[in-house]
Amino acid sequence: MKNRNNELLKNTIAISIGKMGIKIVQFFLLPFYTSILSTEEYGTADLLNAYISLISIIVSLRIEQALFRYLAEVREEKEKCSKIITNVFIVTACSLSVFLLFFLLMFPFLKSPYKMYFITNVIILVLSNVVTQVSRGLGDYKTYAAAGLLTTFFMIFFNIIFLSVFQLRVDGLLISVLFGNIIGLLYVLYKKRVFQYINMGYLDKKLMKELCKYSFPLIPSELSWQIVKASDKFIVNFVLGAGSVGILSISTRFSSIYTEIYSVYNMSWIDVVVCQNFNEEGKAYINRMIHIAFRIFSSICIGMMAAISLFFSALVNETYQASYYLIPMYLFLTLIYISRSLFSGILIAKKKVTVIAKATIGAGIVNILVNLLLIKWVGIWAAPISSCCAYFYMFLVDLVQVKKEMEITFELKYIIPYSILFGIVLAGYYYGGRNFKIILCLVVGCFCFIVNKKVLKFLIQYGLKIFHIQKEE
C-alpha cells in the first residue's frame, strides 16, 4: 500500500514541478495580458488555439495515447520499447504527410492571415505530444516534467517579448506557443535520445494495426471532448462576437488553473491504475483514492472561489469585469469533470476506451444542442450551462460503466457538508461584502484543513523524508 501511495505521490510531485510553478506565474500575468490585448484580440487568439487543438487531434490519430499505454507495460524491455516507438513514429510521419499535402492543396483558398502559424503549430504540437509521451511511457517523469516546464516558461517569455516590445498582438501569442513547443520537443529528443529507439527493421504492420485499433476510438472521444470545451467559444463567437469570446476566455482561465492542478494528479493516477491488480485489495485501494481525491479537489474548488472573490479586481483589467460572474459555474463544472475523470481512469486501465468515446461524443452533442437552445435567451450564460450539462452526462455514463467493473461507494458524510459550504461561498461570492468574503476565506481554509489533515500529514512526512535523504547524500 505504501509503495503504491509513494509511487502516486512521487509521480505527481515530478509532474507538478514541471507544470504548476509556471502555470501560477502565467496566472499572475493576467493583468499584463488584459491590459495590452482587447477582448476581441484575446478572443481571436483563443479561438485559433482551439482550432489548432481540434485539428491536431485528427492529425495525431491519438497515437501518442497508444504509445504511452503500450510502453507502460514493457518499459523495462528496451527492444520492445524500440519496436513500439518506431511504429508510432512511422504512423505519425504518414499522418503528418497526408495533412501537409491536404493543407498545401487548400492553401490558395484560405484567406486567414494566420494560416502559416496554424499549420506550423499543428505539426509541432503533434510531434511534441508524441515525443513527450515517450518519456512518460518509459516512466521518466522528471524529463516529462522538465519538458513541460521549459515549454511553458518559453511561451511566457516570448509572450512578454512579442507583446510588449514588438507589439505583435495575436501574431505574438501564436508564435510564442510555437517556439515554446519546439523547445520542449527538442529537450525530450536530446534527453531521452529518442532517435536511438527508432529502427526501421522493427517495422511491424500487425503492431501498427494494434496501436491504431487502440488509438482510433480515442479520436472521436477526444474530438468531442475538445468540442465540449471549444464549441462554447465557436457558438458565442458566431452569435455574440469575438469580444464575448474574450470574456469567456478569461473566465475559463481561472478554472483552467484548477483543471491543470488535477491533470498533474490524473497522469499519475492513470499510471497507477493501469498497473493495478483488480483484485479485492486493488479495488478497495482505488475506491479509497477516489474518496481522497474528491475531498481534495472539492476543497480546491471552494477555496479558489472564495479567494477569487477577494482578488479578482487586482488580477484582471476592468474591461473584462463581466467574466467575474461566470467563474463559479466553470469551477463547479470542472469539479464534475474531475469526478468523471477519476472513473474514466479505471475504464482506460480496462482498455474500455470505446465506452469513454461514446460518452464523450454524446456529451459533445448535448453541449451543442443546449448551447444553441439557450444562447438567444440567456446570452453568454448559455456557454457554462451547456458545458455543465455535458460534463454531468459524461459523469453519469462513466459511473454506470465503472459500476459494471467494480463497486463504487460515495461518502455522504463529506458530500453533504461540502455542498452546504459551496452554497454559502457562492452566495458570498455574488452578494457578500469584502469583510464577509475575508471571513469566508478563513472558514473555508479551516474546514478544508480539518477534512484533509491526514493527507496533509502524509505529504509533510513524505516531504521531510525526501529532504532527509537528500541531506544524507
Side-chain angles (χ1 to χ4, degrees):
M1 181 67 68
K2 287 184 178 179
N3 289 336
R4 286 180 298 197
N5 288 339
N6 288 341
E7 186 68 19
L8 180 59
L9 184 58
K10 183 182 74 174
N11 292 344
T12 302
I13 290 172
I15 297 171
S16 64
I17 291 171
K19 288 197 169 189
M20 290 316 304
I22 292 296
K23 286 292 182 182
I24 290 170
V25 173
Q26 193 175 37
F27 179 76
F28 284 107
L29 282 172
L30 275 177
F32 169 75
Y33 293 124
T34 55
S35 63
I36 290 179
L37 298 168
S38 67
T39 54
E40 288 79 10
E41 288 170 330
Y42 200 95
T44 299
D46 208 45
L47 278 170
L48 286 166
N49 281 319
Y51 283 122
I52 290 166
S53 296
L54 281 171
I55 298 302
S56 67
I57 291 165
I58 299 171
V59 176
S60 71
L61 308 177
R62 303 303 289 154
I63 200 71
E64 76 278 4
Q65 295 301 316
L67 173 64
F68 162 70
R69 182 65 184 84
Y70 279 77
L71 277 181
E73 293 181 339
V74 298
R75 58 179 51 155
E76 302 300 328
E77 302 174 64
K78 189 172 181 179
E79 187 175 333
K80 289 184 179 179
C81 289
S82 183
K83 191 173 183 179
I84 292 168
I85 293 170
T86 298
N87 285 278
V88 165
F89 270 83
I90 291 171
V91 172
T92 303
C94 293
S95 179
L96 285 174
S97 299
V98 172
F99 166 70
L100 190 57
L101 178 62
F102 175 79
F103 192 89
L104 290 174
L105 291 173
M106 295 297 296
F107 194 83
F109 305 102
L110 299 174
K111 305 300 181 185
S112 173
Y114 307 110
K115 55 188 176 184
M116 283 307 300
Y117 300 136
F118 178 82
I119 183 173
T120 49
N121 267 294
V122 168
I123 292 171
I124 294 301
L125 181 59
V126 169
L127 290 173
S128 177
N129 286 341
V130 170
V131 170
T132 52
Q133 288 299 324
V134 171
S135 60
R136 185 182 170 212
L138 294 174
D140 186 356
Y141 281 88
K142 289 182 180 179
T143 298
Y144 182 84
L149 187 70
L150 286 170
T151 297
T152 316
F153 172 81
F154 279 102
M155 280 183 189
I156 293 170
F157 172 76
F158 287 121
N159 268 335
I160 294 171
I161 297 298
F162 292 141
L163 290 178
S164 61
V165 178
F166 295 103
Q167 301 291 310
L168 289 181
R169 323 294 280 189
V170 175
D171 301 69
L173 290 173
L174 295 173
I175 296 170
S176 299
V177 172
L178 178 65
F179 285 3
N181 279 323
I182 288 173
I183 290 169
L185 166 66
L186 293 175
Y187 173 77
V188 180
L189 283 174
Y190 168 76
K191 190 71 176 177
K192 298 306 297 179
R193 304 290 193 272
V194 175
F195 289 118
Q196 292 183 5
Y197 286 93
I198 298 175
N199 184 342
M200 296 307 293
Y202 287 135
L203 192 151
D204 186 336
K205 291 182 180 179
K206 184 179 178 182
L207 177 58
M208 279 194 279
K209 186 177 179 180
E210 186 179 344
L211 291 166
C212 290
K213 186 179 178 181
Y214 178 89
S215 69
F216 279 10
L218 296 175
I219 298 174
S221 172
E222 184 63 21
L223 201 59
S224 299
W225 172 236
Q226 288 297 328
I227 288 171
V228 168
K229 295 196 295 181
S231 62
D232 294 342
K233 296 170 186 176
F234 299 151
I235 295 171
V236 166
N237 179 57
F238 181 76
V239 178
L240 304 176
S244 294
V245 177
I247 296 296
L248 205 62
S249 300
I250 290 298
S251 62
T252 57
R253 178 59 67 91
F254 287 86
S255 61
S256 71
I257 296 294
Y258 181 27
T259 307
E260 196 66 48
I261 294 170
Y262 173 71
S263 70
V264 169
Y265 174 86
N266 190 47
M267 288 180 189
S268 301
W269 167 245
I270 291 174
D271 200 32
V272 168
V273 175
V274 163
C275 302
Q276 182 66 51
N277 291 320
F278 278 81
N279 52 26
E280 289 305 312
E281 182 190 354
K283 290 177 181 178
Y285 171 77
I286 290 171
N287 247 317
R288 187 159 50 253
M289 293 308 299
I290 288 174
H291 294 160
I292 292 172
F294 177 79
R295 293 201 298 269
I296 292 171
F297 290 104
S298 295
S299 299
I300 294 172
C301 176
I302 297 171
M304 283 189 69
M305 195 190 308
I308 290 168
S309 69
L310 274 176
F311 302 111
F312 178 85
S313 58
L315 291 170
V316 177
N317 187 278
E318 60 183 11
T319 312
Y320 293 81
Q321 179 64 33
S323 63
Y324 175 83
Y325 303 99
L326 301 171
I327 292 170
M329 193 74 168
Y330 278 107
L331 289 173
F332 175 69
L333 66 88
T334 302
L335 180 59
I336 299 174
Y337 155 73
I338 288 171
S339 302
R340 181 258 178 161
S341 295
L342 290 169
F343 298 141
S344 62
I346 299 169
L347 297 175
I348 290 171
K350 291 285 188 177
K351 295 185 178 180
K352 298 289 181 69
V353 291
T354 306
V355 172
I356 299 172
K358 289 178 180 178
T360 312
I361 292 168
I365 295 169
V366 168
N367 189 69
I368 292 171
L369 289 177
V370 174
N371 211 331
L372 290 172
L373 286 170
L374 294 181
I375 195 162
K376 288 290 186 180
W377 298 91
V378 296
I380 200 171
W381 279 92
I385 293 171
S386 61
S387 293
C388 196
C389 293
Y391 284 30
F392 193 65
Y393 172 84
M394 287 189 291
F395 169 79
L396 289 178
V397 171
D398 280 6
L399 176 60
V400 170
Q401 293 300 323
V402 167
K403 280 197 166 188
K404 294 178 181 178
E405 303 294 332
M406 58 178 283
E407 184 182 355
I408 296 292
T409 59
F410 295 93
E411 293 185 310
L412 288 177
K413 64 178 181 180
Y414 291 113
I415 292 174
I416 292 172
Y418 268 119
S419 300
I420 294 170
L421 185 60
F422 182 89
I424 294 170
V425 173
L426 187 64
Y429 184 94
Y430 287 117
Y431 306 111
R434 183 169 180 80
N435 290 338
F436 182 74
K437 289 175 181 177
I438 292 172
I439 293 170
L440 268 183
C441 283
L442 294 174
V443 170
V444 168
C446 292
F447 175 83
C448 294
F449 174 80
I450 293 169
V451 171
N452 298 289
K453 61 183 179 181
K454 288 184 179 179
V455 176
L456 292 171
K457 182 181 178 181
F458 176 76
L459 289 172
I460 292 169
Q461 288 176 342
Y462 188 81
L464 290 173
K465 182 181 176 182
I466 293 174
F467 177 78
H468 180 69
I469 291 171
Q470 289 178 341
K471 191 174 180 181
E472 287 182 345
E473 290 177 352

